[in-house]
Amino acid sequence: MGRLTPKGKRNISRIIPFGVIWLFVGWILLFVQEAATLNRNLNPTSAISVTLEVFIFASISVTCVGLIVGAIEVLWLGNLFGKNSFSQKILYKVGFYTLFLVVVIIVIYPLAASIELHKSPFDASVLNKLSSFLISIDFLSTLVSVAFSLFLSLFYAEISENLGHGVLMNFFTGKYHTPTEEKRIFMFLDMKSSTTIAERLGHIKYFELLKEYYSDFSEAIIRSSGEVYQYVGDEIVISWKYEDGILNNNCVNCFFAMKESLSKRKAWYTSTFGVSPTFKAGLHFGKVTTGEIGVLKKEIIFTGDVLNTTARIQELCNAYQVELLISDSLVQNLPLEPEFQLRSLGKTELRGKLANFELFTIQHK
């Protein structure tokens, strides 16, 4: 079996919370129901008595259903409604999943009933119980429970997408509640001639271009194990944990993959906006302090000299007339393959820095 790709890892990490949410919500609702009825089956003709075997089956089933919903959401439906508003996405998805989950209930119920009655799922007594269930209040109660689990998991997914999956998980786990020192790689990436483009297009059209521009970077960032730290106007800051960025030259490959993504859509950008955006970038690494900050609005931020240095490196791209500048310290740690052509630009003084930095540019053969 091959090594799991960064995109595969990311998808799995986004799907698993669905199963966890569905399992815990199922347990909570079951506990409330059993507590309210004092663990008695008040309607045995349609409701299933909770035995140990039924409880285990229900736990496994609800977790699997949650994972299936997560897979549908992450791999297909989320992309289908990706450009709709938050409320529209929730509405459309609830409609789709409601029909899907009605079918799931009709399939799972006879299996649970067969475990309770110790009979085949196709036995007459099991099918009679199913028909009674479908016209009972228990069916509506189950639909409400499923709808709640669905809404909660979809709400989690949307919040995760807006904050960033890694950021939300770090908030939940409290990973950065106490400041932590980390070694990270940063890429500061800036659109070329952005002021001129904005003046030509106007604010609304320029914003639409930015949305497409950043969207085209997404696949490259995911495949290179990168994380979007900030969007600042026409500038994007991408970060890697040091090991992830060095592995397979991910931080450098990300730059060329993003460049290729824009190149493939050059004709579309030109026909839609009258311009095809290009960019320049600076790469550097170093230690940062990572932690939660803020009272009215919490964020996980990085602080350290490496961010200022990377920004200064990126600013020199125009002076050297290159699209990519990399610090000497990072170059020394990259396992560059022969297809990368490395060229030293000599030592230079960065604005606000006492020490001189040797900078390199890289071309992909």
Side-chain angles (χ1 to χ4, degrees):
M1 184 179 292
R3 185 186 182 92
L4 195 62
T5 65
K7 186 174 183 179
K9 291 179 182 178
R10 183 176 185 270
N11 285 339
I12 289 173
S13 69
R14 293 168 65 199
I15 291 170
I16 287 176
F18 281 81
V20 174
I21 290 171
W22 279 67
L23 177 62
F24 276 94
V25 170
W27 280 351
I28 292 170
L29 294 177
L30 180 63
F31 173 79
V32 171
Q33 173 186 305
E34 293 303 301
T37 60
L38 301 177
N39 200 27
R40 291 179 297 173
N41 190 341
L42 302 180
N43 192 9
T45 59
S46 61
I48 297 175
S49 300
V50 181
T51 63
L52 178 60
E53 293 84 357
V54 169
F55 174 76
I56 293 173
F57 172 79
S59 298
I60 294 173
S61 298
V62 76
T63 303
C64 289
V65 171
L67 293 174
I68 292 170
V69 169
I72 293 172
E73 174 66 21
V74 169
L75 302 178
W76 176 57
L77 208 58
N79 296 326
L80 187 63
F81 299 124
K83 295 188 177 181
N84 292 91
S85 68
F86 178 80
S87 58
Q88 286 177 328
K89 281 191 279 190
I90 292 293
L91 183 63
Y92 295 154
K93 289 175 184 179
V94 168
F96 169 83
Y97 284 124
T98 299
L99 295 176
F100 168 73
L101 292 170
V102 166
V103 175
V104 169
I105 291 171
I106 294 173
V107 171
I108 291 180
Y109 182 91
L111 298 177
S114 70
I115 293 174
E116 177 201 22
L117 301 175
H118 301 288
K119 293 182 179 180
S120 165
F122 303 103
D123 187 86
S125 59
V126 172
L127 296 178
N128 287 336
K129 190 161 189 172
L130 173 62
S131 61
S132 298
F133 168 74
L134 293 175
I135 59 174
S136 70
I137 191 65
D138 295 305
F139 177 61
L140 294 177
S141 175
T142 302
L143 278 180
V144 170
S145 300
V146 167
F148 180 71
S149 298
L150 176 63
F151 177 81
L152 197 62
S153 57
L154 291 180
F155 187 78
Y156 165 86
E158 287 300 321
I159 295 299
S160 178
E161 286 301 303
N162 279 276
L163 290 179
H165 175 71
V167 173
L168 187 59
M169 291 303 295
N170 288 333
F171 274 128
F172 282 150
T173 60
K175 181 178 180 180
Y176 297 120
H177 186 67
T178 301
T180 303
E181 188 176 77
E182 297 181 315
K183 187 159 66 169
R184 281 187 169 264
I185 298 172
F186 288 90
M187 177 192 290
F188 277 61
L189 185 147
D190 185 51
M191 183 190 294
K192 290 183 180 180
S193 306
S194 58
T195 303
T196 303
I197 294 172
E199 289 176 352
R200 184 192 307 175
L201 296 179
H203 295 300
I204 301 299
K205 198 72 174 176
Y206 177 64
F207 189 82
E208 292 174 357
L209 182 143
L210 276 182
K211 287 178 67 176
E212 294 293 335
Y213 172 74
Y214 286 139
S215 177
D216 285 336
F217 291 158
S218 300
E219 187 71 13
I221 296 170
I222 291 170
R223 290 187 181 279
S224 67
S225 301
E227 304 168 11
V228 174
Y229 173 45
Q230 286 180 335
Y231 295 106
V232 186
D234 63 320
E235 183 178 72
I236 179 174
V237 181
I238 304 168
S239 174
W240 290 264
K241 293 178 181 177
Y242 175 78
E243 295 77 10
D244 292 337
I246 293 296
L247 181 66
N248 299 324
N249 298 302
N250 276 331
C251 60
V252 175
N253 281 319
C254 181
F255 172 85
F256 289 104
M258 289 190 292
K259 187 176 176 181
E260 183 181 1
S261 295
L262 287 186
S263 178
K264 288 179 178 178
R265 301 191 71 201
K266 183 176 181 179
W268 181 87
Y269 275 105
T270 303
S271 64
T272 306
F273 300 104
V275 64
S276 179
T278 55
F279 58 87
K280 55 188 184 292
L283 273 167
H284 184 44
F285 86 100
K287 289 184 178 179
V288 292
T289 300
T290 311
E292 292 180 21
I293 196 169
V295 176
L296 300 179
K297 180 180 182 295
K298 286 189 176 294
E299 287 188 39
I300 294 175
I301 69 165
F302 304 117
T303 60
D305 184 64
V306 58
L307 286 99
N308 293 326
T309 302
T310 310
R312 303 291 184 267
I313 291 173
Q314 187 267 125
E315 288 174 357
L316 290 173
C317 285
N318 287 340
Y320 284 107
Q321 296 185 325
V322 295
E323 294 181 330
L324 177 64
L325 283 175
I326 307 179
S327 66
D328 173 51
S329 57
L330 179 55
V331 165
Q332 291 177 7
N333 288 274
L334 288 170
L336 294 171
E337 294 95 348
E339 63 263 26
F340 291 110
Q341 184 178 344
L342 188 66
R343 177 166 62 95
S344 173
L345 299 173
K347 291 191 175 183
T348 187
E349 182 179 336
L350 298 181
R351 181 166 57 87
K353 303 294 177 185
L354 296 177
N356 289 340
F357 282 77
E358 183 175 9
L359 300 177
F360 291 80
T361 189
I362 294 179
Q363 292 183 330
H364 195 267
K365 297 179 183 177

